[in-house]
Amino acid sequence: GAGVSQSPSNKVTEKGKDVELRCDPISGHTALYWYRQSLGQGLEFLIYFQGNSAPDKSGLPSDRFSAERTGGSVSTLTIQRTQQEDSAVYLCASTWSKGTGQPQHFGDGTRLSIL
Amino acid sequence: AQSVSQHNHHVILSEAASLELGCNYSYGGTVNLFWYVQYPGQHLQLLLKYFSGDPLVKGIKGFEAEFIKSKFSFNLRKPSVQWSDTAEYFCAVNAANFGNEKLTFGTGTRLTIIP
């Protein structure tokens, strides 16, 4: 079946521009997570969605970062006024949220490069 | 807050050698433990997980991991590695919870197998 789909796969943009990253989770998965993979930083949690609500935004690094989810499905991560330190691979994961220990299924990520 | 330490940053082995990758975590409560693998050019995939029961868990491709609660460890092992095991390996933990199961990852171990 289809896995988690992310677009674009690569994005190069100039410092100061806004970017939107998209995640299409596995159909029926109610929980959706965004992570960031930076060189030397490993994978860091950004935000968690349960349905359309985001009960945990604690990982968003600044108010330039925001995310939304509509229809309990597609999610968009928006970075405003991008900075060079935003360069990273942004990963989306989804899972059933019906019990503890459910593994998260990851997309291929969006590689974001800020010039 | 949880944290995960992977002490081996880069491991180089010859084919047929035995493998053990270290993972230690810190968290005061009940946790679920995971090993994910990222093959070159591919997305993160679940290798194995522990959430209760037998502390020795077996995963795909001949990998296993042992949860030692007293040592806060979840080391990954394989008795005989293959060239195709070349990849990056991530240990991860989340709080055993119904709902927000955001993962905290280690910084990863790059494994290179020499034919």
Side-chain angles (χ1 to χ4, degrees), chain A residues 33 35 56 100-101 104 107-108, chain B residues 32 36 49 100-103:
Chain A
Y33 302 81
Y35 296 90
D56 188 352
T100 192
Q104 295 178 20
D108 289 335
Chain B
N32 301 313
Y36 280 86
K49 66 174 185 176
N100 185 359
E101 297 186 337
K102 62 183 176 185
L103 291 165

Side-chain angles (χ1 to χ4, degrees), chain A residues 31-45:
Chain A
L32 186 148
Y33 302 81
W34 282 96
Y35 296 90
R36 179 169 72 172
Q37 188 174 20
S38 308
L39 203 61
Q41 296 291 322
L43 281 139
E44 305 168 285
F45 165 79

Side-chain angles (χ1 to χ4, degrees), chain B:
Chain B
Q2 305 109 306
S3 67
V4 178
S5 296
Q6 290 182 248
H7 308 294
N8 314 108
H9 298 293
H10 189 191
V11 173
I12 302 173
L13 295 172
S14 298
E15 274 194 316
S18 65
L19 169 73
E20 181 160 1
L21 301 182
C23 173
N24 288 89
Y25 70 94
S26 67
Y27 182 66
T30 304
V31 295
N32 301 313
L33 296 151
F34 305 83
W35 276 96
Y36 280 86
V37 61
Q38 189 169 29
Y39 297 104
Q42 296 187 26
H43 58 263
L44 276 166
Q45 302 171 40
L46 182 70
L47 205 51
L48 48 78
K49 66 174 185 176
Y50 170 83
F51 58 93
S52 66
D54 189 343
L56 183 62
V57 292
K58 295 191 184 297
I60 59 172
K61 304 187 180 185
F63 286 91
E64 65 178 31
E66 185 175 11
F67 170 47
I68 302 179
K69 191 173 181 180
S70 60
K71 294 185 177 180
F72 297 89
S73 70
F74 190 55
N75 292 355
L76 181 71
R77 300 195 293 249
K78 185 170 183 178
S80 176
V81 294
Q82 302 171 305
W83 176 79
S84 58
D85 294 325
T86 295
E88 188 141 19
Y89 293 79
F90 294 91
C91 182
V93 61
N94 64 17
N97 191 6
F98 286 80
N100 185 359
E101 297 186 337
K102 62 183 176 185
L103 291 165
T104 299
F105 286 88
T107 51
T109 297
R110 185 153 61 101
L111 177 64
T112 301
I113 306 301
I114 301 169

Side-chain angles (χ1 to χ4, degrees), chain A residues 34-98:
Chain A
W34 282 96
Y35 296 90
R36 179 169 72 172
Q37 188 174 20
S38 308
L39 203 61
Q41 296 291 322
L43 281 139
E44 305 168 285
F45 165 79
L46 296 177
I47 187 169
Y48 155 64
F49 283 94
Q50 180 59 249
N52 290 337
S53 65
D56 188 352
K57 305 178 184 179
S58 62
L60 295 178
S62 77
D63 58 8
R64 295 186 295 105
F65 286 72
S66 62
E68 63 175 15
R69 189 178 184 194
T70 54
S73 180
V74 171
S75 177
T76 303
L77 177 69
T78 301
I79 309 172
Q80 295 178 308
R81 305 180 303 281
T82 52
Q83 303 293 312
Q84 287 188 331
E85 62 263 28
D86 300 335
S87 296
V89 177
Y90 289 82
L91 293 169
C92 176
S94 70
T95 186
W96 299 102
S97 186
K98 295 186 176 181

